[in-house]
């Protein structure tokens, strides 16, 4: 915002101009925004295959459980940063410096003998 390197000298503003215009030593809507959000953090779904269906495999396996897991599937927010939990794109001004929470998926198979 304060980078005036590519502007002609007539259009350059001093640092005092930006400090008086944006900061004025108080929090304002330019630097502070609503960080409220709703997030689906984790969902898992499992299905256990019944012992009757497993008779084809013999008596060695009692149960098979199939599972799917999803984390950080979606976030509902008006926040302009990457993630309300991690900070904003205006780093280092908000001094968080964290990476956003990544979305990931997992699949598992559990055998009971």
């Amino acid at each position: 915002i304060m980078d005036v390197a590519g502007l002609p000298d007539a259009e350059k503003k001093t640092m005092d101009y930006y400090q008086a215009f944006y900061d004025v030593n108080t929090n304002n809507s330019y630097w502070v925004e609503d960080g409220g959000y709703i997030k689906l953090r984790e969902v898992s779904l499992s299905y256990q295959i019944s012992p009757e269906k497993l008779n084809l495999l013999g008596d060695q396996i009692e149960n098979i459980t199939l599972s799917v897991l999803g984390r950080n599937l979606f976030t509902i927010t008006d926040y302009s940063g990457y993630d309300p939990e991690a900070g904003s794109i205006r780093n280092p001004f908000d001094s968080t410096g964290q990476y956003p929470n990544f979305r990931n998926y997992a699949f598992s198979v559990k055998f009971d003998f």
Side-chain angles (χ1 to χ4, degrees), residues 14-81:
T14 64
M15 182 72 120
D16 294 337
Y17 169 81
Y18 289 105
Q19 287 177 338
F21 185 69
Y22 291 116
D23 289 338
V24 194
N25 294 326
T26 60
N27 293 329
N28 57 46
S29 63
Y30 183 79
W31 296 109
V32 179
E33 65 181 286
D34 181 14
Y37 64 96
I38 296 173
K39 180 178 278 198
L40 181 59
R41 185 168 314 278
E42 185 171 319
V43 172
S44 65
L45 178 65
S46 296
Y47 177 75
Q48 186 174 24
I49 299 174
S50 65
E52 295 83 29
K53 293 181 181 178
L54 293 175
N55 283 340
L56 299 174
L57 301 174
D59 294 333
Q60 300 296 325
I61 300 175
E62 294 178 14
N63 288 314
I64 297 177
T65 305
L66 307 172
S67 300
V68 177
L69 176 74
R71 291 191 177 109
N72 298 312
L73 297 179
F74 67 86
T75 303
I76 300 171
T77 184
D78 289 332
Y79 186 67
S80 65

Side-chain angles (χ1 to χ4, degrees), residues 62-111:
E62 294 178 14
N63 288 314
I64 297 177
T65 305
L66 307 172
S67 300
V68 177
L69 176 74
R71 291 191 177 109
N72 298 312
L73 297 179
F74 67 86
T75 303
I76 300 171
T77 184
D78 289 332
Y79 186 67
S80 65
Y82 298 119
D83 187 335
E85 294 179 309
S88 87
I89 58 177
R90 292 190 293 248
N91 189 32
F93 299 112
D94 61 2
S95 69
T96 57
Q98 299 177 7
Y99 287 107
N101 294 313
F102 296 103
R103 178 179 305 132
N104 62 38
Y105 305 95
F107 178 76
S108 71
V109 180
K110 178 179 135 185
F111 295 95

